[in-house]
């Protein structure tokens, strides 16, 4: 697993989600409408724009140094996941975004992004929609350069230093602050907000989204204090068995709703700069937790995990407290958490967790 997971940015991106994972859309739209400026048409919007412009230049620290943005960006391009969601949630329609080639719909998008763009009058298929480019083979430097952006957002990403340098030849780049794919959605929102001159809007977006998550999670008190491991188990290739560390947004989200990362996962995370660590299938009986979560291709793969002579020994799988998610959009919504994706996911994901919590002996 280690060799396939960390051989390069494109492989890492694919593996990150392959091994992861309409009231909610309304909730996202409500958050959006409350926090975004949208197309400026009113006097108050114009005043807000002037105030935002006065914040510049801004300098943002990141893993590769510092990036200074001289004036408020008007042509925004994004890479990886999350960054486009955040910009859109702040009322900024990027000129270019990556296609959602894993977990996406027939538009190469997601339900939450579609709803937010339509709210801004920029749905895919319209003249105002962002251009989409493929990242299946890594950062699409050529297509991004064609769009002549004045900033490239990558606050949540796995950019290498080489990627960063190449992108910086196109426009100022806002890279991840520390760990590859380790930026929380809150930090990504704050960073993107600063880059776009929307600090106050970003702060409100974070607080509103956190309040929504807390309110919805409170409806399922059986979840609170349950220990968990978010891992990956593949019966057809046991060498891919592993668990997500505390650096990853899956465990971060579960911890935020009152669950507790299992001690064995805490130990595996200690000192690690990775989002995922391999685990021997012969030792899965040591993965002790109340609940075990994993993405699966379909229901048959979940059954195969339960029946597997090794993987079936994962304690929570054995006890029936197993969340096996085959909904790729839902897996994406949690693993690449954003202020748009989380409200969309809660109505489905929280009941799944509650059912598993009810099975805890």
């Amino acid at each position: 697993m280690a060799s396939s997971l960390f051989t390069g940015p494109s492989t890492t991106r694919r593996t990150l989600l392959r091994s992861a994972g309409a009231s909610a859309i309304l909730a996202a739209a409500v958050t959006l409408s409350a926090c975004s400026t949208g197309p400026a048409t009113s006097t108050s919007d114009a005043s807000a724009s002037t105030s935002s412009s006065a914040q510049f230049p801004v300098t943002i620290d990141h893993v590769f140094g510092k990036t200074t943005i001289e004036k408020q960006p008007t042509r925004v391009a994004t890479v990886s996941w999350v960054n486009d969601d955040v910009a859109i949630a702040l009322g900024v329609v990027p000129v270019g975004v990556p296609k959602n080639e894993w977990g996406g719909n027939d538009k190469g998008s997601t339900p939450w992004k579609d709803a937010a763009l339509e709210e801004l009058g920029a749905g895919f298929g319209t003249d105002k929609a962002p251009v989409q480019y493929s990242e299946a083979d890594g950062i699409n430097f050529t297509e991004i350069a064609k769009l002549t952006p004045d900033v490239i957002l990558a606050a949540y990403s796995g950019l290498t230093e080489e990627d960063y340098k190449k992108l910086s030849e196109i426009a100022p780049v806002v890279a991840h602050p520390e760990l590859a794919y380790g930026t929380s959605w809150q930090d990504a929102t704050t960073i993107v907000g600063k880059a776009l001159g929307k600090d106050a809007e970003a702060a409100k977006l974070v607080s509103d989204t956190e309040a929504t998550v807390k309110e919805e999670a409170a409806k399922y008190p059986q979840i609170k204090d349950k220990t968990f491991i978010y891992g990956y188990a593949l019966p057809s290739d046991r060498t891919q068995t592993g668990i997500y560390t505390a650096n990853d947004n899956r465990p971060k989200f579960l911890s935020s709703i009152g669950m507790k990362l299992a001690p064995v996962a805490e130990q595996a995370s200690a000192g690690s700069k990775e989002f995922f660590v391999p685990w021997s299938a012969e030792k899965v009986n040591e993965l002790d937790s109340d609940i075990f979560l994993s993405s699966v291709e379909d229901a048959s793969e979940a059954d195969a995990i339960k029946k597997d002579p090794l993987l079936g020994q994962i304690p929570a799988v054995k006890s029936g407290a197993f969340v096996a998610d085959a909904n790729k959009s839902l897996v994406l919504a949690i693993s690449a958490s954003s202020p748009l994706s989380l409200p969309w996911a809660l109505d489905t994901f929280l009941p799944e967790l509650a059912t598993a919590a009810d099975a805890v002996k």
Side-chain angles (χ1 to χ4, degrees):
M1 184 65 175
S3 60
S4 65
L5 235 129
F6 305 113
T7 52
S10 60
T11 303
T12 302
R13 271 179 55 85
R14 288 196 297 271
T15 311
L16 174 63
L17 288 185
R18 168 60 186 87
S19 53
S23 58
I25 291 180
L26 177 60
V30 168
T31 299
L32 174 67
S33 62
C35 302
S36 71
T37 57
T41 55
S42 69
T43 303
S44 59
D45 284 340
S47 298
S49 178
T50 301
S51 175
S52 297
S53 299
Q55 299 176 23
F56 290 85
V58 297
T59 299
I60 298 174
D61 295 333
H62 51 72
V63 69
F64 303 120
K66 299 176 184 290
T67 293
T68 297
I69 304 168
E70 296 295 340
K71 60 182 181 179
Q72 187 167 26
T74 59
R75 296 184 61 80
V76 176
T78 71
V79 300
S80 189
W81 306 284
V82 180
N83 306 291
D84 53 351
D85 281 8
V86 173
I88 293 164
L90 291 171
V92 175
V93 178
V95 292
V97 299
K99 292 179 181 176
N100 290 104
E101 291 167 296
W102 196 100
N105 54 28
D106 58 0
K107 298 178 183 177
S109 181
T110 59
W112 55 90
K113 186 156 54 185
D114 287 343
L117 283 172
E118 287 166 13
E119 181 81 10
L120 293 173
F124 290 113
T126 69
D127 293 341
K128 295 182 180 180
V131 171
Q132 293 172 290
Y133 33 81
S134 174
E135 288 190 344
D137 296 317
I139 304 298
N140 202 323
F141 302 100
T142 301
E143 294 303 314
I144 292 172
K146 287 179 183 177
L147 296 171
T148 61
D150 45 27
V151 73
I152 299 169
L153 302 178
Y156 175 88
S157 71
L159 289 186
T160 64
E161 188 163 11
E162 182 182 358
D163 291 334
Y164 172 74
K165 288 178 179 178
K166 289 180 72 173
L167 284 173
S168 295
E169 294 174 3
I170 301 170
V173 181
V174 180
H176 51 285
E178 185 177 2
L179 301 179
Y181 300 113
T183 312
S184 69
W185 68 264
Q186 293 97 327
D187 285 347
T189 302
T190 300
I191 293 166
V192 170
K194 182 176 181 179
L196 298 179
K198 293 179 176 289
D199 299 77
E201 294 95 324
K204 187 175 190 305
L205 184 58
V206 168
S207 62
D208 286 353
T209 306
E210 287 181 333
T212 296
V213 170
K214 183 177 180 180
E215 180 181 350
E216 293 301 311
K219 297 176 182 178
Y220 304 93
Q222 65 268 56
I223 293 171
K224 186 174 172 55
D225 294 329
K226 293 293 188 294
T227 61
F228 72 89
I229 294 173
Y230 204 128
Y232 186 62
L234 184 64
S236 61
D237 185 359
R238 293 176 184 149
T239 65
Q240 292 200 39
T241 305
I243 63 176
Y244 291 91
T245 70
N247 299 324
D248 187 78
N249 277 340
R250 280 153 278 218
K252 286 178 183 176
F253 171 71
L254 294 171
S255 297
S256 77
I257 60 173
M259 300 182 71
K260 296 181 178 178
L261 187 60
V264 65
E266 285 275 16
Q267 292 166 12
S269 298
S272 175
K273 293 186 176 181
E274 307 296 353
F275 61 82
F276 183 91
V277 292
W279 194 274
S280 170
E282 286 72 23
K283 295 183 178 180
V284 295
N285 62 306
E286 298 174 8
L287 294 176
D288 191 24
S289 64
D290 290 329
I291 297 172
F292 185 85
L293 304 92
S294 176
S295 66
V296 294
E297 284 299 311
D298 52 40
S300 66
E301 188 170 281
D303 290 337
I305 292 172
K306 295 173 186 176
K307 295 174 182 176
D308 188 272
L310 288 180
L311 302 179
Q313 297 306 306
I314 297 172
V317 172
K318 197 172 183 179
S319 70
F322 179 33
V323 177
D325 232 318
N327 182 335
K328 288 184 174 66
S329 290
L330 186 59
V331 173
L332 177 65
I334 299 298
S335 58
S337 305
S338 80
L340 294 182
S341 73
L342 287 180
W344 178 88
L346 296 176
D347 282 352
T348 302
F349 190 65
L350 291 177
E352 289 181 351
L353 277 179
T355 298
D358 289 339
V360 175
K361 302 295 190 288

